[in-house]
Amino acid sequence: MKKRFKLALPWQILIGITLGAIFGIFAHEYVDYVKWLGDLFLRGLKMVVIPLVFSALIMGVSSIGESKDLGRIAGKTFLYYIITTALASTLGLLLVNIFKPGVGVDLKLSETVTEISSTKISFVDQLLGIVPENIVKAMADGNMLPIIFFAIMFGYFITVSKDKTRIQLTDLFNGIYEVMIKLTFLVIRFAPIGLFGVVAGVVGAQAGDTEALATLFGSLGIYAAIIGGGCIFHGVATLPALFAALTRKNPFKFMKQVSPGLLTSFATASSAASLPINLEDIHVKTGVSRKIASFCLPLGNTVNMNGTALFESVTAIFVAQAYGIDLTIAQQIIIVLTSLLAAVGTAGIPLAGLVMLAVVLNAVGLPLEGIGLVLVVQQPLDMIRSAVNVWGDCTGAAVVAHSEGENLNL
Ligand code: ASP
């Protein structure tokens, strides 16, 4: 059998992005011929987002009920995940407000926004809007917050249903999730070509205007540094400090124990890829029981994404700055809350956070075209945030295990 040489996806994506940028600069009169590749890719991402999030959440929430004594553990796990995700998202918010990377970027995008829709909607209306009047309509409109809310409720009530119903529905949604992951992978496979089209379009629209191009790259550089730096700070300062405070153990020794998983998620830009490795390492090396590891890690893989939450909040505000929109405090709070929920709904696969960006932008009425703006720097950011996402899950599992009286080998 002949063995074909296959380049790993992250490299293909990097090549696609580079070629797209080169095409956009040197052949910008022809970008219309390739821009549709990017549009097709974005359509594919939008196609999978709703069923993917819906099934992932129902699966994650309903898995809690599989064993009776998990109720208490679930409570602690959720609390830890919510607090760390909120810390990450808030850190992002602070940084992006201090450095303001998007201010002054000349977008030349087709959509111009003079006033964003949610300025007309009060904060109370926003909160009320989380509860859908009509779940089918929310899905048709791609309105994610009510969808997430409904999925969490639905998942919860699966756990308190009769055995037969519970098993049937858990199987059903696990199955749907499995299929959706496969479908999403197909779309992601197309990412190198799709990103080529997107980047060619974005760069091409700026080409010829070197000043605008320089501003775009400069701002994107600061934007990327904020996310990269923020994720690293969260990973080596915030989480370790919290870990040390809660367990009185050495967080960096623990980091070393789970480093194969962290590196795997970094290289593949996917938290899911590291799950099998971490489930083993955290039990064998750290001494977390199988019961806690197999609950906290898979759940965290779906719902706990510190890096992604930071990415979502920074990006939404960056896009607002680039469109010259001043966000009120209430809107910024909505962005943080939505980032939390979006991170919960993000699947642990490459670029899933980018799909969910649509949710956050949508929540405050920012144009979805903003996604195209930040695509250029996605690959490295996706790698960093995936590793931080997984690190958050691991610390969560160890903290919960410690609180349950387990002896950690640290
Ligand atoms: N790739 C990330 C992960 O797997 C998700 C994201 O795109 O933010 O954790």
Side-chain angles (χ1 to χ4, degrees), residues 227-238:
I227 295 187
C231 277
I232 291 171
F233 184 86
H234 187 76
V236 302
T238 313

Side-chain angles (χ1 to χ4, degrees), residues 269-271 305 308 346-354 382 385-386 389:
S270 162
S271 359
M305 303 232 167
T308 301
T346 303
I349 54 173
L351 294 181
L354 197 65
D382 197 14
R385 68 176 185 258
S386 303
N389 288 345

